[in-house]
């Protein structure tokens, strides 16, 4: 089950990491590249709660197979469409339009697997071990954000029987890997459609570059929804606003980073994968280092986590937009993600502490939804600003985070 979660996250972020180079190679507008990401994330956000509910009635195994099948089919079709564009069989715009259609399959069906995996593991573990096991599964998404961009540059394939594969290679390789994992699940997991399903899973936020896990999905999967809490509930409203602004700032800057590397280093798109991968790995590694190592040592309250993170993230994104070398971009982007590594768990914990025990499941679901929603419009906003001026999305994100710091200092309160 860890492998299922890792495969979905790594495959998605590997494809994200090469999207800017693919778009530039095919002569597609940068905003179209962002749209490919946004439409997939939108469908994921819409479909995830539906599949989470269905896994309780249709069986865990069938939903895991559906999610993996959607993942593999989507990447396979994306690879075919991109190869058609690379070889000149169809125009670049047509190839990318078909690529977006392939991404819709992933957004619609890929989200079926994570909640079913959660529910399956929850049903096979004792109450004492359940949270630890589900947290381990959630960490697979975080690990995938590092592995995806790390391996993508090594998956560029040459010609196969005279057909140039090139930048479409990662899509084909991860599609094959998805088929292998699908086959393993099909053979090893028993059919549970008629079995009772006392445990439930919860929708996970869209796996994205920089989208390290916050733990909200684990809470949503282990806590009953006894009390419903709305987004505008006075107890959590300020935390929801903070989470939405921080999430959009991260999504805006992370999706434009591939274009920034190409333009600031003045290199061909095909040569940009390795430096882009280095930047993304440093960013994801910094966020995970904070969440897995630094935060447990410091013992800061959620409010302080958010405030410290906002300062670091604002400085990091501003410096990223102004950097002109690979070293400058990589270190500044790492600093930004260091800050986001503080803010995301601070947002999760603060929202949780703002309500009582009966509302934990409901609030955790809202946190996961906000994290996912940030990656629907955020990439398109960031790339749209980038087309106006290269530093603009980073300076705009820095300004938004600075204003949010002032708001958070006044509005964020902790109860409990």
């Amino acid at each position: 089950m860890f492998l299922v979660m890792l495969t979905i996250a790594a495959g998605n972020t590997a494809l994200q990491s090469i999207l800017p180079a693919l778009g530039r190679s095919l002569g597609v507008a940068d905003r179209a590249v962002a749209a490919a990401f946004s439409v997939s994330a939108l469908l994921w956000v819409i479909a995830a709660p539906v599949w989470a509910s269905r896994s309780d009635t249709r069986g865990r195994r069938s939903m895991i197979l559906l999610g993996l099948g959607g993942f593999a089919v989507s990447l396979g079709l994306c690879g075919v469409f991109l190869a058609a564009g690379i070889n000149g069989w169809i125009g670049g715009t047509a190839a990318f339009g078909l690529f977006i259609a392939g991404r819709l399959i992933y957004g619609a069906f890929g989200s079926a697997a994570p909640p079913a995996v959660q529910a399956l593991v929850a049903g096979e573990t004792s109450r004492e071990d359940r949270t630890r096991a589900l947290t381990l599964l959630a960490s697979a998404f975080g690990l995938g954000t590092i592995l995806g961009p790390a391996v993508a540059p090594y998956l560029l394939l040459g010609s196969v029987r005279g057909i140039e594969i090139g930048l479409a290679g990662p899509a084909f390789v991860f599609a094959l890997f998805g088929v292998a994992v699908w086959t393993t699940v099909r053979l090893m997991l028993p059919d549970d459609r008629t079995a009772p399903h006392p445990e439930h899973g919860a929708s996970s936020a869209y796996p994205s570059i920089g989208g390290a896990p916050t733990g909200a999905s684990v809470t949503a999967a282990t806590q009953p929804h006894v009390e419903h809490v709305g987004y505008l509930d006075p107890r959590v409203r300020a935390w929801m606003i903070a989470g939405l602004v921080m999430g959009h700032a991260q999504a805006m800057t992370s999706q434009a980073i591939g274009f920034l590397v190409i333009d600031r280093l003045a290199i061909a798109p095909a040569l940009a994968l390795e430096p882009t991968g280095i930047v993304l790995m440093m960013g994801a590694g910094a966020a995970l280092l904070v969440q897995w190592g630094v935060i447990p040592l410091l013992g800061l309250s959620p409010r302080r986590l958010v405030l410290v993170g906002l300062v670091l993230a604002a400085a990091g994104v501003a410096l990223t937009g102004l950097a002109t070398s690979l070293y400058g971009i990589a270190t500044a982007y790492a600093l930004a993600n260091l800050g986001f590594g503080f803010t995301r768990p601070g947002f999760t914990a603060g929202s949780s502490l703002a309500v009582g025990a009966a509302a934990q499941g409901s609030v955790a679901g809202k946190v996961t939804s906000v994290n996912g929603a940030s990656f629907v419009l955020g990439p398109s906003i960031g790339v749209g600003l980038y087309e106006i001026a290269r530093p603009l999305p980073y300076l705009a994100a820095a300004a938004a985070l600075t204003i949010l710091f002032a708001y958070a200092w006044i509005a964020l309160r902790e109860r409990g």
Side-chain angles (χ1 to χ4, degrees), residues 61 143 273 279 335 365 401:
R61 178 174 176 265
L143 187 58
L273 292 192
V279 172
L335 177 62
L401 293 172

Side-chain angles (χ1 to χ4, degrees), residues 48-49 52-53 56 115 118 198-204 215-231 235 355-369:
S53 177
D56 293 335
Q118 283 184 338
E199 306 300 337
H200 65 276
S203 57
S204 298
S217 183
V218 174
T219 302
T222 56
Q223 299 292 330
H225 289 220
V226 178
E227 178 188 348
H228 176 74
V229 177
Y231 292 99
R235 295 172 293 176
V355 298
Q360 291 302 310
S362 178
V363 167
K366 299 296 185 297
V367 169
T368 300
S369 178

